């Protein structure tokens, strides 16, 4: 989940509960009383625990050993200290990420393997990868507006431009790369400045004429 940042993510998450879905979330949402409430209400969840959350009275779950698994432990336990402890017992799956760090996941799901729990949480990382890709590849230094429509409009416009430029680059590069090789980053920069090498301009015009029989003029 991504928000506009004007409110803390924790309270915002309260409005996202839906018993038909599994909530996969990061450490900011792992409040002990919230985990108990989710379990009581039948709200399935897969949430990463904060590193300082204490595990109390752990009991190992039976599981089929997989030598290629990244899972270290699969247990049920209470969470927290005597001052603040969960009333419910929760399942905790501990696995190693690709850097060898231990990731602790709390969940109410009992009918799936620990490896599947780990994969559910890993899938959430793809959201972070996507947002990092947007920051790295789309030229959006400032937002023209802050309303939902304005943000979506600018974002989708940037995505469309990126896809069109990438398609044009991939379609052209095989024909001219031997004579005037360019990286995609340099291609987009020269394209925007109208400074592409002649070989690129000629090939692009040929591609445009092939895919644009109605005669719309594109500046290169």
């Amino acid at each position: 989940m991504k928000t506009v940042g004007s409110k803390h993510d924790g309270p915002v998450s309260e409005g996202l509960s839906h018993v038909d879905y599994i909530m996969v979330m990061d450490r900011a949402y792992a409040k002990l009383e919230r985990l108990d409430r989710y379990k009581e209400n039948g709200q399935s969840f897969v949430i990463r625990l904060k590193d300082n959350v204490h595990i109390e009275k752990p009991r190992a779950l039976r599981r089929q050993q997989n030598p290629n698994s990244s899972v270290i432990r699969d247990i049920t336990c209470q969470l927290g200290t005597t001052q603040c402890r969960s009333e419910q017992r929760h399942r905790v799956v501990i696995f190693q990420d690709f850097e060898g760090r231990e990731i602790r996941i709390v969940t109410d799901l009992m009918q799936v393997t620990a490896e599947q729990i780990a994969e559910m949480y890993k899938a959430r990382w793809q959201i972070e990868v996507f947002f990092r890709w947007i920051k790295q590849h789309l030229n959006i230094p400032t937002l023209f507006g802050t309303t939902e429509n304005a943000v979506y409009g600018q974002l989708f416009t940037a995505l469309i431009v990126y896809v069109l430029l990438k398609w044009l680059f991939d379609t052209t590069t095989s024909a001219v790369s031997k004579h005037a090789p360019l990286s995609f980053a340099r291609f987009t920069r020269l394209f925007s400045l109208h400074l592409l090498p002649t070989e690129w301009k000629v090939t692009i015009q040929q591609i445009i004429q092939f895919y644009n029989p109605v005669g719309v003029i594109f500046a290169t």
Side-chain angles (χ1 to χ4, degrees), residues 8-153:
H8 191 276
D9 287 350
V12 173
S13 68
E14 295 291 349
L16 299 178
S17 301
H18 197 300
V19 294
D20 291 339
Y21 300 96
I22 300 172
M23 300 183 69
V24 182
M25 300 186 289
D26 207 0
R27 289 174 286 193
Y29 308 99
K31 302 293 185 182
L32 299 185
E33 65 276 9
R34 185 177 297 149
L35 299 178
D36 282 344
R37 188 169 68 253
Y38 282 163
K39 193 168 184 178
E40 292 169 359
N41 295 339
Q43 173 64 65
S44 293
F45 57 89
V46 174
I47 304 177
R48 182 176 178 179
L49 283 175
K50 294 180 180 179
D51 295 337
N52 61 356
V53 174
H54 180 68
I55 291 177
E56 181 70 17
K57 300 177 182 178
R59 296 175 188 168
L61 292 173
R62 293 182 180 180
R63 56 187 302 267
Q64 185 175 2
Q65 296 299 320
N66 182 348
N68 298 320
S69 174
S70 62
V71 174
I72 301 171
R73 297 182 72 188
D74 185 10
I75 61 176
T76 64
C77 63
Q78 286 182 282
L79 299 170
T81 63
T82 53
Q83 290 77 23
C84 180
R85 180 173 296 165
S86 66
E87 296 181 2
Q88 301 279 344
R89 290 185 65 86
H90 297 281
R91 183 184 185 184
V92 173
V93 173
I94 305 174
F95 68 94
Q96 287 185 320
D97 67 6
F98 62 94
E99 294 181 347
R101 297 173 299 186
E102 289 192 5
I103 306 296
R104 303 190 303 169
I105 304 300
V106 57
T107 181
D108 70 314
L109 302 175
M110 301 299 294
Q111 304 304 319
V112 297
T113 66
E115 286 75 17
Q116 288 173 317
I117 298 295
E119 288 302 320
M120 287 182 192
Y121 183 76
K122 290 177 183 179
R124 178 198 163 277
W125 291 345
Q126 296 305 312
I127 300 174
E128 302 297 337
V129 172
F130 175 63
F131 276 95
R132 184 166 65 246
W133 179 88
I134 288 177
K135 294 176 182 177
Q136 291 176 343
H137 293 87
L138 302 187
N139 185 20
I140 311 178
T142 57
L143 294 174
F144 299 141
T146 56
T147 65
E148 183 175 348
N149 284 339
V151 173
Y152 275 125

Side-chain angles (χ1 to χ4, degrees), residues 194-213:
H194 306 285
L195 295 176
L196 283 173
T198 302
E199 296 91 340
W200 283 81
K201 290 183 178 181
V202 172
T203 305
I204 287 174
Q205 288 294 346
Q206 293 173 348
I207 293 172
I208 291 174
Q209 289 175 4
F210 178 79
Y211 287 101
N212 181 40

